[in-house]
């Protein structure tokens, strides 16, 4: 299913709300102006999202999502073991150099919103996401991560 809206996912809004709230903390006690009201509004908007505060992801899975939405290909690549494998539908990327060739265009062309955790395992987690094209439209996908010692030896991204 394609989404025609161009809104950013809630996972990106929450860090922005925190930054706004922190910026408001620097105001003097005599300043109660728009900064604190704006932070409250952004925080309220982000908490209305299905993903905000309800979805408990493995820290490595969350770091992957955060790296993607922060357009940080290096952080994404560094989550993988040196011999890690990323399967993107029908394409396979092995090792940091190949995974970087996947990550760089993906993190700048798309954002992802976590909809739910589909499966929790001792060795990883599968999440259902909405992949949103920055140019508009989107689709659902499952991202299945195998996690070992705080790294990803294998990620399988399959599109619905």
């Amino acid at each position: 299913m394609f989404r025609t809206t161009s809104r950013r996912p809630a996972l990106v809004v929450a860090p922005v709300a925190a930054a706004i709230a922190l910026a408001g903390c620097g105001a003097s006690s005599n300043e109660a102006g728009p900064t604190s009201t704006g932070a409250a509004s952004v925080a309220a908007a982000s908490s209305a999202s299905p993903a905000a505060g309800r979805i408990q992801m493995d820290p490595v899975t969350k770091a992957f999502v955060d790296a993607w939405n922060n357009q940080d290909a290096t952080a994404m690549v560094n989550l993988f073991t040196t011999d890690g494998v990323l399967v993107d539908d029908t394409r396979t990327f092995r090792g940091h150099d190949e995974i970087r060739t996947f990550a760089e265009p993906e993190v700048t062309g798309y954002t992802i919103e976590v909809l739910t955790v589909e499966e929790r395992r001792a060795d990883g987690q599968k999440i259902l996401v909405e992949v949103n094209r920055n140019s508009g439209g989107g689709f659902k996908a499952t991202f299945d991560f195998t996690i070992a010692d705080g790294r990803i030896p294998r990620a399988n991204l399959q599109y619905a």
Side-chain angles (χ1 to χ4, degrees):
M1 170 176 275
F2 288 90
R3 178 181 290 181
T4 57
T5 63
S6 61
R7 72 174 182 81
R8 300 280 294 184
L11 292 173
V12 174
V13 174
V16 172
I20 292 170
L22 286 174
C25 290
S28 72
S29 60
N30 294 334
E31 296 177 22
T35 302
S36 52
T37 303
S41 297
V42 173
S46 67
S47 67
S49 166
R54 287 194 311 128
I55 298 176
Q56 297 299 315
M57 289 185 284
D58 177 275
V60 176
T61 302
K62 183 176 182 332
F64 182 93
V65 170
D66 290 346
W68 189 312
N69 287 333
N70 290 326
Q71 298 184 356
D72 191 344
T74 299
M76 181 186 291
V77 169
N78 289 336
L79 289 168
F80 284 84
T81 59
T82 56
D83 61 346
V85 175
L86 184 145
V87 177
D88 176 54
D89 197 30
T90 60
R91 303 177 300 163
T92 300
F93 303 88
R94 289 182 171 81
H96 282 187
D97 290 340
E98 286 186 20
I99 292 170
R100 182 176 301 284
T101 65
F102 163 83
E104 288 176 345
E106 295 295 318
V107 301
T108 58
Y110 302 86
T111 57
I112 56 176
E113 178 179 0
V114 178
L115 302 175
T116 188
V117 173
E118 294 285 301
E119 180 182 4
R120 297 175 198 276
R121 304 180 309 273
D123 72 338
Q125 181 171 77
K126 182 190 291 187
I127 58 175
L128 176 66
V129 301
E130 177 83 23
V131 179
N132 297 297
R133 288 183 186 93
N134 294 342
S135 60
F139 52 92
K140 289 188 171 96
T142 57
F143 288 10
D144 191 348
F145 299 96
T146 302
I147 300 168
D149 298 323
R151 299 270 184 206
I152 303 169
R154 184 173 181 82
N156 187 357
L157 316 181
Q158 295 297 317
Y159 304 93

